[in-house]
């Protein structure tokens, strides 16, 4: 698999032309056709039909440039209802194109099409897209590459070539069947059978020599890897044998560069790294494996791809990197502490310094009665002890058209009662309340949100994703958040800016953002198993004072439920 190569003359040519064959006249509009269709795919000695876009696994990369308009017509040819989320794109005033089923749109039913029409404004870097209904994102996902505007170079050395590294999970059985069976039992679904890099598990797995992603490189060059964690339930370490990586971007936001042997990505997160091919010509494994520092079972198998120096025979056995151990908490915490926004005049970190509204959300697991489940109970997850119930009408539609009895706007700003959140495991009184409850926010409000993990059943790390916004991670810590002492340690100068934050196991994360994007915006744990159990909520951000600060009207082909 060759990388995209940008020699200086070609890079300039692409800048002038508009990118990859677009004429200069229509360079500002990128059009894609996504046909969602079944395809038989073989991995780990097993063949099965999977849901794909255009028969590709992973799906096609969406290329655009900052400032472009992107029009993607999605046609659903499979038996499942479907919607697609453009993860990390802010969709200003345009939640209709955001994609989460029953939050901003009703899903496309079999045979239906929907056009996702959006502008890429003020964003450049690596993001990704994925199905946002059921567990279909197990195979329905792909990269989004947003190049800077013409004449605006990267704020780091120009790479010789670049490529996408999309980390995923693979199940031998049918994922939706396994999830449905687990829900009938009231138990967790089975773990994945392998991790993948660009859909391939690599040669450490059976029948997988031919299912190995290979990148050929030249010695003495600099390469850009765009790394995406598209796994459903696993945080992943990633490293390359014998090579350091320089982190230059996270979640499509430039960072202060730093060099590391391994990076850590939670599901939903992206990281761009520069790699210098300054080692002796050889074959080197790129590898990814899980990070899990709680008593929770995960798929602990290592996926590999190959970084192969030009001229080295394929018969040479690659060198394997020694990844951090799956429970290496200190490495994970140290790594995340190194992430800093670039914060230059061209790329400022506009951290809200004055806070209008402070929120404190506890994250917990629970057990609720389930008369139809084999066990008589089912596992639940909650924010402030509320397990979110998905509506039958899209929330954004209900908000825009003032449809009654779809949702309430009384989501509490703090939990019903304080307790020792991260003390001994709490195994009694684990019932949660249920409801479709949203938090109403006035336009342009500055919000500080503390996400606090709890030891209800068990502590666990949670990657939380907010739709419609980036936010600044101004602080993290282990244990209970202390409102008297911890804010003094907040980084308000150059904190990392992201769309998905890892809440540490048995700890907390503090984020700040300005609610200047009107609409209904989903916030949820990006572990699919927790989202399914109800670890989600949404903000209703009111319109501003003018039409230019208000939600756009819905498109004519907007799906109905």
């Amino acid at each position: 698999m060759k990388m995209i190569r940008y020699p200086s003359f070609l890079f300039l040519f692409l800048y002038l032309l508009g990118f990859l064959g677009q004429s200069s006249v229509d360079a500002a509009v990128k059009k894609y056709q996504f046909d969602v269709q079944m395809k038989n795919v073989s991995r780990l000695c097993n063949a099965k039909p999977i849901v794909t876009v255009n028969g590709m696994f992973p799906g096609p990369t969406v290329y655009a440039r900052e400032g472009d308009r992107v029009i993607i017509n999605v046609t659903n040819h499979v038996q499942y209802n479907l919607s697609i989320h453009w993860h990390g794109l802010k969709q200003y005033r345009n939640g209709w194109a955001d994609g989460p089923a029953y939050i901003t749109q009703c899903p496309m039913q079999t045979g239906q099409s929907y056009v996702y029409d959006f502008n890429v404004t003020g964003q450049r870097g690596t993001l990704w897209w994925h199905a946002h209904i059921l567990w279909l994102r197990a195979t329905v996902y792909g990269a989004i590459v947003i190049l800077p505007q013409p004449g605006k170079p990267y704020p780091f050395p120009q790479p010789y070539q670049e490529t996408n590294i999309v980390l995923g999970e693979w199940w031998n059985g049918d994922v939706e069947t396994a999830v449905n069976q687990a829900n009938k039992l009231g138990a967790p679904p089975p773990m994945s059978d392998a991790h993948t890099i660009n859909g391939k598990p690599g040669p450490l797995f059976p029948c997988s020599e031919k299912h190995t992603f290979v990148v050929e490189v030249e010695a003495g060059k600099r390469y850009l890897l765009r790394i995406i964690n598209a796994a459903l339930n696993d945080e992943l370490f990633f490293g390359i044998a014998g090579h350091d990586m320089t982190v230059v971007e996270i979640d499509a936001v430039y960072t202060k560069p730093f060099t590391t042997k391994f990076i850590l990505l939670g599901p939903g997160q992206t990281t761009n790294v520069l790699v210098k091919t300054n080692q002796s010509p050889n074959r080197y494994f790129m590898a990814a494996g899980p990070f899990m520092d709680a008593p929770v079972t995960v798929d602990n198998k290592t996926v590999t791809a190959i970084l192969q120096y030009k001229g080295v025979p394929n018969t040479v056995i690659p060198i394997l990197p020694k990844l951090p151990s799956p429970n290496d908490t200190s490495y994970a915490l140290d790594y995340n502490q190194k992430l800093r926004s670039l914060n230059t005049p061209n790329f400022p970190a506009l951290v809200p310094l004055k806070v209008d509204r402070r929120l404190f959300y506890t994250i917990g697991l629970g057990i609720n009665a389930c008369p139809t489940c084999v066990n008589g109970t089912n596992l639940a997850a909650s924010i402030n002890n509320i397990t979110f119930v998905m509506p039958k009408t899209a929330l954004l539609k209900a908000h825009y058209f003032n449809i009654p009895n779809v949702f309430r706007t009384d989501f509490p700003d703090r939990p019903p009662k304080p307790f020792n959140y991260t003390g001994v495991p709490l195994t009694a009184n684990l019932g949660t309340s249920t409801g479709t409850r949203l938090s109403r926010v006035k336009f342009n409000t500055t919000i500080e949100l503390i996400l606090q993990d709890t030891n209800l059943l068990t502590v666990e790390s949670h990657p939380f994703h907010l739709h419609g916004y980036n936010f600044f991670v101004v602080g993290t810590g282990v244990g209970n958040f202390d409102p008297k002492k911890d804010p003094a340690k907040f980084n308000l100068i150059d904190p990392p800016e992201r769309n998905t934050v890892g809440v540490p196991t048995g700890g907390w994360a503090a984020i700040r953002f300005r609610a200047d994007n009107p609409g209904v915006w989903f916030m949820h744990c990006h572990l699919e198993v927790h989202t399914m159990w109800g670890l989600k909520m949404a903000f209703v951000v009111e319109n501003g004072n003018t039409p230019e600060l208000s939600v756009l009207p819905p498109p004519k082909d907007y799906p109905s439920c």
Side-chain angles (χ1 to χ4, degrees):
M1 178 72 185
K2 296 265 185 181
M3 293 191 180
I4 297 174
R5 178 182 296 191
Y6 294 133
S8 57
F9 72 87
L10 178 57
F11 203 82
L12 178 64
F13 177 68
L14 288 174
Y15 264 114
L16 295 173
L17 191 64
F19 195 70
L20 290 185
Q22 299 278 349
S23 75
S24 58
V25 176
D26 67 354
V29 180
K30 303 296 192 310
K31 293 184 178 180
Y32 290 86
Q33 174 64 38
F34 275 24
D35 286 301
V36 181
Q37 54 197 210
M38 303 303 292
K39 181 180 174 69
N40 279 321
V41 170
S42 176
R43 294 289 185 275
L44 309 186
C45 321
N46 289 280
K48 68 170 184 176
I50 64 169
V51 184
T52 69
V53 169
N54 299 349
M56 299 167 67
F57 172 60
T61 298
V62 173
Y63 289 98
R65 206 178 266 295
E66 181 183 352
D68 280 354
R69 179 182 177 189
V70 179
I71 299 172
I72 303 175
N73 183 59
V74 179
T75 303
N76 182 14
H77 301 283
V78 301
Q79 70 268 35
Y80 302 104
N81 287 350
L82 185 102
S83 69
I84 292 181
H85 171 52
W86 317 95
H87 184 115
L89 282 163
K90 294 178 185 176
Q91 307 288 10
Y92 184 64
R93 302 170 55 215
N94 187 28
W96 314 109
D98 190 39
Y102 301 104
I103 306 298
T104 59
Q105 70 168 95
C106 298
M108 286 163 274
Q109 297 171 34
T110 305
Q112 288 186 334
S113 295
Y114 181 47
V115 175
Y116 291 93
D117 186 344
F118 53 86
N119 295 317
V120 180
T121 306
Q123 293 184 271
R124 82 294 304 163
T126 306
L127 296 170
W128 64 299
W129 58 265
H130 59 85
H132 211 302
I133 185 169
L134 306 171
W135 284 43
L136 293 180
R137 74 177 183 88
T139 57
V140 181
Y141 62 86
I144 301 174
V145 173
I146 307 168
L147 294 171
Q149 291 174 328
K152 292 191 177 176
Y154 296 132
F156 49 80
Q158 177 67 42
Y160 175 62
Q161 292 180 353
E162 60 177 65
T163 196
N164 303 333
I165 302 288
V166 189
L167 310 174
E169 288 184 83
W170 174 266
W171 280 261
N172 285 330
D174 182 74
V175 178
E176 295 305 325
T177 301
V179 169
N180 290 338
Q181 287 171 344
N183 286 339
K184 284 175 186 169
L185 286 170
M191 289 181 310
S192 55
D193 295 292
H195 294 112
T196 56
I197 292 176
N198 294 345
K200 299 174 179 181
L204 304 187
F205 287 89
C207 306
S208 297
E209 283 282 347
K210 61 185 176 185
H211 299 305
T212 302
F213 181 71
V214 180
V215 174
E216 188 182 74
V217 297
E218 293 181 33
K221 304 290 187 182
R222 183 183 285 110
Y223 293 83
L224 180 70
L225 303 185
R226 299 175 179 270
I227 305 162
I228 299 164
N229 186 352
L232 278 77
N233 296 306
D234 292 342
E235 293 186 74
L236 293 167
F237 288 116
F238 174 88
I240 307 171
H243 293 73
D244 289 337
M245 298 176 287
T246 301
V247 176
V248 293
E249 179 200 301
I250 54 172
D251 291 5
V253 179
Y254 296 134
T255 63
K256 287 185 169 66
F258 69 93
T259 300
T260 181
K261 295 217 173 296
F262 306 102
I263 62 170
L264 175 63
L265 304 95
Q269 294 182 330
T270 70
T271 304
N272 283 8
V273 300
L274 291 173
V275 178
K276 287 183 182 175
T277 49
N278 54 9
Q279 300 301 300
S280 58
N282 209 323
R283 301 174 87 216
Y284 297 90
F285 271 133
M286 302 183 281
F291 167 60
M292 171 53 76
D293 59 349
V296 176
T297 309
V298 292
D299 175 356
N300 65 358
K301 296 180 276 301
T302 300
V303 55
T304 54
I306 297 172
L307 187 82
Q308 182 160 336
Y309 280 64
K310 205 168 184 177
V312 175
N314 291 347
T315 51
V316 173
I317 296 173
I319 301 164
L320 188 66
K322 186 170 170 40
L323 293 170
S325 64
N327 62 350
D328 195 338
T329 304
S330 63
Y331 194 97
L333 294 174
D334 289 348
Y335 173 80
N336 282 318
Q337 286 298 318
K338 292 175 184 172
L339 298 172
R340 293 277 188 273
S341 288
L342 193 57
N343 193 26
T344 60
N346 286 336
F347 305 104
L350 303 175
V351 188
L353 300 179
K354 176 179 164 289
V355 175
D356 298 324
R357 187 167 163 197
R358 287 184 162 83
L359 308 176
F360 185 85
Y361 288 1
T362 54
I363 304 162
L365 301 178
I367 298 175
N368 286 336
C370 176
T372 59
C373 296
V374 174
N375 297 341
T377 60
N378 64 359
L379 288 159
S382 67
I383 302 173
N384 284 352
N385 207 47
I386 298 164
T387 296
F388 191 84
V389 176
M390 294 297 276
K392 293 183 170 55
T393 301
L395 296 174
L396 180 59
K397 178 181 178 181
H399 167 61
Y400 187 84
F401 291 106
N402 294 308
I403 301 170
N405 304 319
V406 176
F407 63 85
R408 291 157 50 183
T409 55
D410 61 348
F411 192 91
D413 286 2
R414 50 199 51 82
K417 58 181 180 183
F419 60 97
N420 182 6
Y421 307 114
T422 57
V424 296
L426 302 165
T427 55
N429 303 317
L430 292 173
T432 68
S433 64
T434 58
T436 311
R437 298 169 66 179
L438 280 60
S439 180
R440 185 176 288 280
V441 177
K442 285 195 169 78
F443 181 82
N444 219 32
T445 299
T446 53
I447 289 178
E448 179 180 285
L449 168 58
I450 311 297
L451 293 162
Q452 173 72 63
D453 187 29
T454 67
N455 209 346
L456 293 162
L457 278 184
T458 178
V459 290
E460 191 172 344
S461 176
H462 299 272
F464 257 78
H465 174 48
L466 175 60
H467 291 227
Y469 291 93
N470 281 357
F471 49 73
F472 293 95
V473 185
V474 296
T476 58
V478 176
N480 297 341
F481 175 73
D482 186 333
K484 292 191 174 68
K485 294 180 180 175
D486 287 326
K489 303 176 220 161
F490 283 176
N491 176 7
L492 303 179
I493 306 296
D494 60 353
E497 182 183 345
R498 329 200 56 140
N499 62 59
T500 305
V501 60
V503 180
T505 299
W508 54 270
I511 67 172
R512 287 188 183 183
F513 65 98
R514 181 179 295 277
D516 57 2
N517 189 5
V520 177
W521 303 108
F522 204 22
M523 187 179 78
H524 59 96
C525 179
H526 220 280
L527 302 178
E528 208 60 39
V529 63
H530 289 173
T531 302
M532 175 178 75
W533 290 341
L535 197 53
K536 49 196 172 186
M537 57 82 66
F539 293 102
V540 184
V541 179
E542 296 174 352
N543 286 335
N545 294 327
T546 67
E548 294 75 30
L549 301 175
S550 302
V551 177
L552 293 165
K556 291 185 173 61
D557 63 341
Y558 184 65
S560 58
C561 291

